[in-house]
Amino acid sequence: MLFEHEIAWENDRVYEEVYRNSIDFPNEFWMQYAQDIEWKRIPNLAYDNEKKEWLSGGISNVCYNCVDRHADKIPEKAAIIWYGDEYGERREISYAKLQKMVIQISSILKGRGIKKNDVVGIYMPMIPEAIASMLACARIGAIHLVVFAGFSPEALKYRLTTSNAKALLTINSFRRGGKEIELAKNIPNELGIDIINLDNIQYHKNVIPDIDWQNSDDDLFILYTSGSSGKPKGVLHSALPYMLYVATTFKVIFGIQPDDVYFCTSDIGWITGHSYITYAPLFHGLTTVIFSGSPTYPEADRYWQIIEQEKVSIFYTAPTAIRSLQMFNKKIIKKHDLSSLRVLGTVGEPINKSAWKWYFETVGNKKCPIMDTWWQTETGGIILAPLRNINQKPGIAGKPFFGIETDIIEGELVIKNEFPGLYKAIVSECATADNALYKTGDGAVYEGSDIKIKGRMDDVINISGHRLGTAEFECAINKISEVQESAVVAVSDDLKGQTAFAFVVLTVTPERDDFAQIVKKIVSSTRNSIGSIAKPDYISFVPDLPKTRSGKIVRKLLRDIANGAENLPELHSVINSEVIDVLKVSVKNPIFCPDMCKLK
Ligand code: PRX
C-alpha cells in the first residue's frame, strides 16, 4: 500500500483508493507512517484493541524526533525564524541552537526537581523560548500546560491548580502592537508553585541531561479548552500517538517538501500552535516561522512582509485574520511579492465566501489551494480538509483524513473509529476519552461526497477563532451583585465570525445612569475571569429569561431572538412565553460595547 505522500491528497481517485485501504487495513496504514518516527524500540502494532493503546510497546521521545535527530543531520538549518513587533526584529534559531536551548531549559527543570509526569505550566508569548520550553518538557517526560498569554491571572490560576502543576515557566514582558505587556505581573502571588522566569535565569554551559525515553502512550501535554460547562476542561494528549497523527496529517494534507518554509500565525496558547507550529513542522525538519507581533502593527502588511522576506511556501492562518486584512487598501498587499506561496491553509472557524475568494485570488494569486482544515483541541490534528488542488469549493472542509471514519448523526459530525490523535483524558473532570463514538459538537451536512461544517451545536462560542464557553461568560457575569441571572449566546459577526450577546436580569431596577456602571462591571468581570479576548459585545437588560417547567433557560430560543430570526418556532416548553415579545424588542436596541476593552 505504498504511495507518495505528495500525491495522496490531490485527486479524487487516488484519495478514494488510499482512504479505502486505510480503513480496511488501519494497522498497515499507521505502521507505515510510524516509520517516520525514530524508535528506540519499534511498536508491535498500531492499535492494541485490548489495551486500548496506540503504538503499543514502542519506546521513543517526541523531543528527540523534533530536535536532536535534526541537530545531528542538519545542524545549521533554521528550525525557528522569529519576527518581533517592529519591522526588522528577527531571530534565526538553527536546529543546533534549538537543541542547546532545549537542553538548557530541561536541565533547569531537572535542577528544580521536575520529574517525569510532573505538570509544568508555560505562560509565554510567541518567542522561540516558548517552543523550546515545550520541547524541554517533552524531553524529560514532564507534561506541559501552555496557558495563552492573553488569559487573565484568574484563568491562569484555575488551569495551574486544577492540573496540579509543579512549576511555571515565564518571562517578564513582551511587546505587541507597540505596547509593552507585563506578563510576569499577571502571575498571582499565592500560587505556591515554583515560578521559573527565563529572563532571570543563569544558563549553564555544557549541561547534557539525558533524554527520557518514553512509552508511546506516556503523556505529552494538557491544554485547556472550553466546553459546555462553566469551567474550561484540561485535554490530555499522549506522546507518540499524537506525534504520529500530527506529523502524518501535516505531511499528507499540506504535501510538504524538505525545503518548504512554513508560516503559521496561530499561538502556542492554542492547539494549532502545539500541533502545527511546534510539533509537526519540527518533526519533519522544516523551518517554522513565528510572529509575536500584531498583523496590523506598525502597518497591516506584517504577514505579507514576512512571507516575502522568508519566501514562505505554506501559510496557515485563521478566517478572522483574513477578514480583517481584506479590509485594508489593496496597495498594502500588492507591494509585496508573494509568489513563493504554494499552499494556503485556514483553521478555527468557518470561512465565508468573500474571505475565501480574497485569500485565493489576492493572497494566492489563484494558484494555491486553500486547505480549509477542520479539527479541534480534542482531535489533536486535522480531521477534515479538501483535496489539495485548485478546483475547490469555498467553505467546504471536505474529506476525512485517512484512517478516520466520520458520519453525521442527527446533524452532528461524529467520528466512529479509533485514531491516534484523539485525546486520552480530561484531567479537570477525571474522564477518559470514549473511543467508540466521538461526538464533535459541530453541526455538519454532506455536499455531494464532501462534508460542510455549519458550526457548534452546543454552548461553545467561537470569537475570532477563540473557543469560549457561554457558561464561562455567565459565571463571570453572575458574580456581580446587581445581577440575578444571565444567559449568553453567540450572534454572528462579520469580522469575528461570532460574538457574545448577554441577556442580563438584574436584582434591582437601577437609575438610568447606573446602567453604564453595571455594563462596566460586566465587561471587567468577564475580562478578569477569562481574559482580554472575552467580553460580550452586546448586553440586553431584560425582566426575565425564557424557561422550561424545570427551570432550564431555553437557550436555543434566545439564540434565535438575538440573531434576529423572523419566525420563531412554537415552543410549548416555555412556561413564561409572555417574555418573548419583550426580548424581541430588547434585542433591537441592546447596549453595544465594542470599546469596552479599553476600560480598566
Ligand atoms: O467549531 C469548530 C471550529 O473550532 C472548534 C474547535 O476549536 P478548538 O478546539 O479551539 O480548535 C481550533 C483549532 C483546530 C470546532 O469544534 N473549527 C475549527 N476549524 C474549523 C472550524 N469550523 C469551521 N471550519 C473549520 N475549518
Side-chain angles (χ1 to χ4, degrees):
M1 204 188 44
L2 277 177
F3 63 92
E4 295 296 321
H5 79 270
E6 292 93 338
I7 60 160
W9 206 266
E10 277 183 5
N11 88 37
D12 282 296
R13 196 189 49 75
V14 181
Y15 167 82
E16 288 301 336
E17 194 182 315
V18 181
Y19 181 77
R20 257 310 13 114
N21 267 318
S22 72
I23 298 296
D24 293 344
F25 307 102
N27 195 52
E28 287 75 1
F29 177 80
W30 289 113
M31 285 306 271
Q32 182 191 333
Y33 280 98
Q35 289 172 25
D36 288 351
I37 296 172
E38 267 188 44
W39 295 98
K40 197 150 176 74
R41 190 170 80 200
I42 294 172
N44 316 323
L45 77 173
Y47 186 66
D48 184 328
N49 251 318
E50 265 167 38
K51 289 192 191 150
K52 301 256 170 264
E53 211 178 273
W54 279 94
L55 305 172
S56 197
I59 294 180
S60 184
N61 177 286
V62 167
C63 175
Y64 175 79
N65 277 278
C66 292
V67 182
D68 300 83
R69 62 171 173 163
H70 305 311
D72 279 346
K73 293 193 191 99
I74 40 168
E76 301 308 322
K77 180 169 179 176
I80 304 173
I81 294 175
W82 168 84
Y83 275 80
D85 206 32
E86 303 291 338
Y87 290 117
E89 265 188 295
R90 178 185 185 275
R91 281 167 70 193
E92 190 169 321
I93 312 287
S94 67
Y95 273 97
K97 168 89 184 152
L98 179 62
Q99 184 186 39
K100 229 174 170 175
M101 289 165 71
V102 170
I103 289 175
Q104 282 172 333
I105 299 171
S106 59
S107 57
I108 292 167
L109 290 172
K110 280 214 157 174
R112 301 283 191 116
I114 296 297
K115 296 192 213 52
K116 191 175 168 149
N117 288 332
D118 283 344
V119 176
V120 176
I122 297 174
Y123 191 47
M124 283 194 209
M126 280 306 291
I127 53 173
E129 285 72 11
I131 292 178
S133 296
M134 295 163 76
L135 293 161
C137 291
R139 189 183 177 86
I140 62 170
I143 302 167
H144 62 70
L145 163 71
V146 180
V147 180
F148 176 54
F151 277 133
S152 68
E154 199 180 313
L156 171 67
K157 185 177 170 187
Y158 175 77
R159 285 159 173 76
L160 293 171
T161 47
T162 50
S163 63
N164 200 16
K166 297 275 184 312
L168 178 66
L169 287 158
T170 192
I171 58 159
N172 288 326
S173 63
F174 65 101
R175 289 183 71 79
R176 190 164 196 275
K179 291 189 206 91
E180 187 80 11
I181 298 169
E182 308 258 8
L183 194 62
K185 279 195 181 155
N186 259 354
I187 299 171
N189 289 327
E190 75 287 10
L191 279 177
I193 65 171
D194 195 5
I195 310 287
I196 306 170
N197 186 323
L198 292 181
D199 285 332
N200 308 341
I201 282 283
Q202 292 281 322
Y203 290 112
H204 299 285
K205 283 189 191 133
N206 308 324
V207 275
I208 308 180
D210 291 338
I211 288 171
D212 221 310
W213 296 104
Q214 295 170 290
N215 292 322
S216 293
D217 198 41
D218 282 354
D219 302 337
L220 182 63
F221 68 84
I222 300 168
L223 181 65
Y224 278 68
T225 188
S226 295
S228 297
S229 78
K231 293 287 179 194
K233 55 180 184 176
V235 178
L236 175 71
H237 279 281
S238 56
L240 277 310
Y242 163 85
M243 188 70 258
L244 171 64
Y245 192 69
V246 300
T248 309
T249 45
F250 187 67
K251 181 174 177 178
V252 171
I253 292 173
F254 291 115
I256 57 165
Q257 312 285 333
D259 52 357
D260 268 324
V261 177
Y262 169 78
F263 177 23
C264 171
T265 66
S266 184
D267 186 292
I268 52 150
W270 314 116
I271 190 69
T272 309
H274 285 59
S275 305
Y276 300 111
I277 286 182
T278 303
Y279 289 114
L282 295 178
F283 177 91
H284 289 294
L286 295 192
T287 300
T288 183
V289 179
I290 63 172
F291 174 45
S292 65
S294 152
T296 54
Y297 176 85
E299 298 281 343
D301 71 339
R302 296 307 305 277
Y303 290 168
W304 322 134
Q305 170 241 334
I306 294 170
I307 292 171
E308 177 173 22
Q309 198 162 333
E310 299 305 331
K311 300 200 167 35
V312 169
S313 52
I314 307 177
F315 179 60
Y316 195 25
T317 192
T320 293
I322 299 168
R323 283 193 296 268
S324 68
L325 294 172
Q326 186 188 358
M327 295 188 323
F328 288 88
N329 190 321
K330 260 200 202 130
K331 281 189 196 147
I332 294 182
I333 181 161
K334 289 285 176 211
K335 79 177 183 216
H336 294 284
D337 174 7
L338 307 182
S339 59
S340 56
L341 289 171
R342 187 167 65 76
V343 178
L344 298 172
T346 87
V347 58
E349 28 163 348
I351 180 162
N352 52 304
K353 279 202 176 123
S354 123
W356 192 97
K357 201 163 165 266
W358 185 79
Y359 200 30
F360 181 68
E361 290 176 358
T362 309
V363 181
N365 198 17
K366 299 187 188 167
K367 67 176 182 62
C368 306
I370 310 264
M371 308 310 288
D372 176 359
T373 61
W374 179 94
W375 55 294
Q376 306 176 308
T377 306
E378 292 89 333
T379 68
I382 299 169
I383 297 291
L384 301 176
L387 297 186
R388 203 178 54 253
N389 58 56
I390 53 169
N391 307 316
Q392 298 169 327
K393 286 175 262 170
I396 298 204
K399 315 259 183 228
F401 188 63
F402 300 136
I404 307 265
E405 282 183 273
T406 50
D407 200 353
I408 300 175
I409 299 178
E410 290 172 2
E412 181 177 11
L413 179 69
V414 299
I415 300 172
K416 297 197 297 188
N417 66 336
E418 295 81 11
F419 66 101
L422 190 67
Y423 73 101
K424 192 169 162 185
I426 302 292
V427 291
S428 50
E429 294 167 5
C430 301
T432 46
D434 176 7
N435 270 317
L437 184 75
Y438 172 65
K439 295 185 177 172
T440 66
D442 272 56
V445 286
Y446 286 111
E447 288 215 358
S449 62
D450 289 326
I451 296 173
K452 182 179 166 65
I453 296 289
K454 292 173 72 184
R456 296 294 297 203
M457 297 171 79
D458 55 8
D459 295 320
V460 167
I461 172 170
N462 196 332
I463 304 180
S464 302
H466 297 147
R467 175 171 160 182
L468 299 163
T470 54
E472 289 168 48
F473 279 93
E474 290 162 12
C475 285
I477 296 173
N478 295 348
K479 277 184 196 162
I480 299 161
S481 58
E482 293 91 337
V483 172
Q484 185 177 316
E485 59 177 348
S486 64
V488 173
V489 295
V491 288
S492 15
D493 182 274
D494 286 348
L495 185 62
K496 301 178 187 174
Q498 288 187 323
T499 186
F501 191 119
F503 291 94
V504 179
V505 181
L506 297 176
T507 49
V508 286
T509 312
E511 298 292 320
R512 228 187 136 66
D513 292 350
D514 292 344
F515 274 113
Q517 263 329 95
I518 298 175
V519 169
K520 265 191 193 173
K521 281 190 189 174
I522 289 174
V523 172
S524 73
S525 185
T526 54
R527 300 188 75 212
N528 288 341
S529 293
I530 308 168
S532 50
I533 50 171
K535 64 167 183 65
D537 269 355
Y538 302 93
I539 299 171
S540 193
F541 293 102
V542 293
D544 203 359
L545 298 170
K547 294 207 178 126
T548 62
R549 195 161 297 282
S550 60
K552 257 185 107 175
I553 298 171
V554 189
R555 280 157 203 289
K556 161 103 187 57
L557 180 62
L558 286 173
R559 222 169 13 228
D560 287 347
I561 295 175
N563 281 291
E566 291 289 324
N567 300 316
L568 297 177
E570 282 260 340
L571 284 175
H572 299 294
S573 53
V574 179
I575 51 160
N576 54 344
S577 54
E578 68 283 356
V579 76
I580 294 176
D581 284 337
V582 183
L583 293 173
K584 279 204 241 163
V585 175
S586 85
V587 297
K588 294 219 169 89
N589 214 355
I591 295 179
F592 179 50
C593 32
D595 294 320
M596 288 293 171
C597 50
K598 296 201 185 86
L599 293 176
K600 273 271 165 305

